[in-house]
Amino acid sequence: MTLITGGSKCGKSRLAEKLLDKYTDNKFYIATMQPYGEEAFAAIERHRGLRTGKGFETIEKYTALHELTLPAGSAVLLECIANLCANEMFSADCSPDHAERIISGIEHLKNSSSELVTVSNNVGSDGINYSPETNRYIEVMGRLNARLAALADNVIECVYGVPMVLKGRL
């Protein structure tokens, strides 16, 4: 399992896709962004365009990753933990144990795939004081990223398009 993190528009997605270039069969892209508004639709279309011709089968799954059943030995790109966290925390069917549900779902994907690449975002480092609800989200994201880093074999931070290996190897 590889965790890729970094700020917005820093090359995380491009690197994640590149890490799975060698896989041709059973290569899945699990998309977690729920399309709300024009900006979200534009981002989804941009990502779809970037994946064109790369052999990914896209699965849109906004919550409850543990429900997915994929063929054994699949290569999986999960994007993005930040969207998944928001979905789990703020959806109508949210669980009070949303962080545990996310970790459980990712462990399920890790155990059922030959390669799992997860993409997350650095949040909470801007020093801005947000609403209590947003601060709670930032806190949960920080804990999720720490747990995912411990679970991952490789942890890579993208900084200005440059992958910085924090754990494991590239």
Side-chain angles (χ1 to χ4, degrees), residues 63-141:
T63 61
L65 293 177
H66 63 278
E67 296 175 350
L68 285 174
T69 302
L70 301 174
S74 297
V76 178
L77 194 168
L78 172 61
E79 186 162 6
C80 152
I81 302 302
N83 289 325
L84 180 63
C85 181
N87 299 341
E88 290 282 1
M89 287 181 72
F90 303 115
S91 70
D93 66 339
C94 71
S95 161
D97 293 329
H98 41 265
E100 288 306 315
R101 188 162 125 156
I102 292 167
I103 294 295
S104 173
I106 291 169
E107 286 175 332
H108 166 70
L109 291 175
K110 180 182 180 187
N111 293 333
S112 63
S113 63
S114 63
E115 187 71 33
L116 172 62
V117 177
T118 59
V119 176
S120 192
N121 285 324
N122 290 346
V123 296
S125 60
D126 57 12
I128 297 173
N129 190 18
Y130 292 100
S131 70
E133 188 173 70
T134 301
N135 284 332
R136 174 79 177 122
Y137 167 79
I138 291 169
E139 176 189 328
V140 171
M141 275 299 300

